[in-house]
Amino acid sequence: MSPSADAAAPASTSAPELAPLIAAQLTYLLSHSKLPIRVGQIWSGCRKGSPSDRFTLSIPFCLDYVHWDFVYNALYPKVAPDVVFGPDDDGFQPLVDYPEAGNGDKSCLACWDCHDPRGLLVLVHELRELYIEYHKKQVTKVDDARVTFELSTVLSKEGIEVCVVPSADRPAEVKFAVPLLDVDFDFAKLVPGCPWRLPQKIHVQVIFPISRSSSYSSVPAAPRLKLISTPDLKSLFSVDDVKLPQWSNEMCLAEYLPVLEENLNLLVVDASASIGSRRRFIEALAPTFGRPIESDPIFCRRATVLSISGVFTFLVYFVIPLQFPKQQPVLTLQSSQHCNADGTPITSPPINDYPWSPRWDQAEMVERIYDFLTDECQNFKKFCSDATTQHQKL
């Protein structure tokens, strides 16, 4: 599952407020982390009336979330928190033996300062890195020749995460979460004025079944592949529209990834260019329809114009697809003079069956839409009048 706004439980609103030193660390984590970390339950471990001192954090890992409890003590807020990991991670115990985990006295816990608001942020990121390495080691123990080979060829790729996915009703699987494009690729630079706070990423999720055989089968089955992006990126580029390259027989990830990344680079360039095309389309509305009363100035996905036909006044909503101009805008008309039974303005069904060619320049596109609406608005006016008359008879 891709990390999403629904993946983590909402923060508790009934619990007492967090102790000040603890609240400062949590606030700093949420406002400064480059990971989409979310707060789940907040509660108090002390008697009623004491401030809250523990909470659940949902932390992204391998295109899913893990849920860890961070347990402070409001009576001793200067002490570093204990951390309770998930029930499936009994073997992951970095707080028990940090030297074995590789950090030792380099851990932030060795010099914990409760007055430093960065403490929790550093701890979460430190534990997450150890958790990633722990699961890489778990995957290396899998008795599957193909998984072992795939791991050896791509594990050095920066940002990759892997884990074993157990299942009660089918063989276990190994999931690879592989970041695509350069790790430091900044999508925000493609969109001036972009509001994104967190880095936008595209991953390919690759799932191999564990066969537990000591050698490759003659023709191993293709893995399950899926492109997953951070949610905000869909404003610029939808991975749902990307056709994945075919996985040929005896192909491996090290061969597949360069082909996929090359295709993806071209599509990202096209997505960036499409913003310019959409912007020019919105600008072309003004000479014919008049200046839009509202529009999307960043991604140029929406615009609204006010139109008049005789005494009939109506709004035209333009929803401009990411694939513009290959796909035409979807129009919706809304009357400024007619309302339905619940008092909301009457609107038309979405309209996309008007004349269109992606080879027209933006001015001609707008003129053809205007000509179409000259007749269509009369049909819409009659539709509104009939609906109003029907409502008055009831």
Side-chain angles (χ1 to χ4, degrees):
M1 180 188 296
S2 173
S4 68
D6 299 327
S12 171
T13 57
S14 59
E17 291 185 0
L18 286 165
L21 288 176
I22 302 171
Q25 293 196 10
L26 180 58
T27 299
Y28 189 93
L29 167 72
L30 297 177
S31 60
H32 288 79
S33 177
K34 296 300 183 183
L35 298 171
I37 296 172
R38 300 185 182 277
V39 184
Q41 183 182 8
I42 298 176
W43 73 101
S44 173
C46 303
R47 62 182 179 275
K48 187 175 181 181
S50 300
S52 295
D53 56 1
R54 50 203 66 188
F55 45 83
T56 300
L57 292 182
S58 296
I59 300 167
F61 167 70
C62 212
L63 302 178
D64 205 335
Y65 275 94
V66 292
H67 309 284
W68 297 344
D69 294 337
F70 287 76
V71 182
Y72 288 81
N73 188 331
L75 300 178
Y76 303 96
K78 295 183 179 181
V79 178
D82 289 327
V83 184
V84 181
F85 303 106
D88 297 328
D89 290 313
D90 291 340
F92 180 59
Q93 299 179 338
L95 303 184
V96 174
D97 193 350
Y98 253 86
E100 183 178 336
N103 277 29
D105 57 6
K106 296 180 181 179
S107 169
C108 66
L109 293 176
C111 52
W112 184 262
D113 180 0
C114 65
H115 296 286
D116 185 352
R118 299 171 297 177
L120 180 61
L121 170 68
V122 175
L123 176 60
V124 168
H125 283 236
E126 181 178 305
L127 290 176
R128 184 176 180 277
E129 288 302 316
L130 291 171
Y131 191 73
I132 291 171
E133 293 304 315
Y134 165 77
H135 275 281
K136 287 180 180 178
K137 291 179 181 178
Q138 296 301 106
V139 173
T140 61
K141 299 176 183 178
V142 171
D143 182 20
D144 184 288
R146 183 186 192 185
V147 169
T148 300
F149 174 76
E150 295 286 3
L151 199 63
S152 68
T153 60
V154 300
L155 197 56
S156 61
K157 184 176 177 64
E158 186 176 357
I160 191 171
E161 298 174 13
V162 295
C163 67
V164 178
V165 183
S167 177
D169 55 355
R170 64 184 182 189
E173 300 170 322
V174 171
K175 178 167 71 173
F176 289 67
V178 185
L180 301 174
L181 308 178
D182 293 334
V183 173
D184 297 326
F185 187 88
D186 189 357
F187 282 95
K189 290 182 178 179
L190 301 176
V191 188
C194 179
W196 297 328
R197 184 183 73 82
L198 299 176
Q200 301 302 304
K201 303 291 183 183
I202 299 176
H203 288 77
V204 59
Q205 175 181 277
V206 187
I207 297 180
F208 293 97
I210 298 176
S211 67
R212 300 196 181 281
S213 76
S214 59
S215 62
Y216 278 113
S217 61
S218 57
V219 182
R224 301 203 308 276
L225 301 162
K226 183 178 181 181
L227 280 183
I228 298 175
S229 72
T230 41
D232 289 342
L233 192 59
K234 293 181 180 179
S235 300
L236 168 69
F237 176 79
S238 175
V239 296
D240 296 336
D241 299 325
V242 177
K243 184 177 181 181
L244 290 171
Q246 185 176 0
W247 182 284
S248 60
N249 293 339
E250 300 185 1
M251 179 176 269
C252 67
L253 264 180
E255 297 172 305
Y256 185 81
L257 291 176
V259 178
L260 175 57
E261 289 188 308
E262 182 179 356
N263 292 350
L264 205 55
N265 266 308
L266 295 175
L267 293 172
V268 168
V269 171
D270 288 344
S272 178
S274 181
I275 295 179
S277 296
R278 296 196 296 269
R279 178 174 288 109
R280 290 189 294 275
F281 175 81
I282 292 175
E283 292 170 348
L285 293 173
T288 304
F289 284 93
R291 185 178 297 275
I293 59 175
E294 62 180 3
S295 63
D296 170 11
I298 298 176
F299 299 102
C300 303
R301 296 289 311 281
R302 298 178 182 273
T304 306
V305 297
L306 179 65
S307 294
I308 301 174
S309 176
V311 296
F312 181 48
T313 305
F314 59 98
L315 296 172
V316 183
Y317 294 94
F318 294 82
V319 177
I320 311 172
L322 291 174
Q323 294 78 19
F324 180 89
K326 294 178 181 178
Q327 294 182 10
Q328 64 205 89
V330 177
L331 314 179
T332 303
L333 310 185
Q334 178 181 295
S335 174
S336 300
Q337 299 164 290
H338 304 83
C339 294
N340 56 24
D342 60 6
T344 58
I346 297 177
T347 60
S348 71
I351 302 169
N352 63 355
D353 58 351
Y354 54 87
W356 182 262
S357 171
R359 289 182 287 275
W360 294 337
D361 61 30
Q362 279 78 2
E364 183 171 359
M365 293 174 182
V366 171
E367 289 172 1
R368 294 293 189 107
I369 293 174
Y370 184 87
D371 292 341
F372 169 80
L373 290 178
T374 300
D375 296 328
E376 183 63 24
C377 73
Q378 299 304 317
N379 298 330
F380 179 57
K381 179 182 178 181
K382 183 177 184 304
F383 171 78
C384 293
S385 298
D386 292 346
T388 303
T389 301
Q390 184 68 26
H391 169 57
Q392 291 172 345
K393 290 180 180 180
L394 297 178

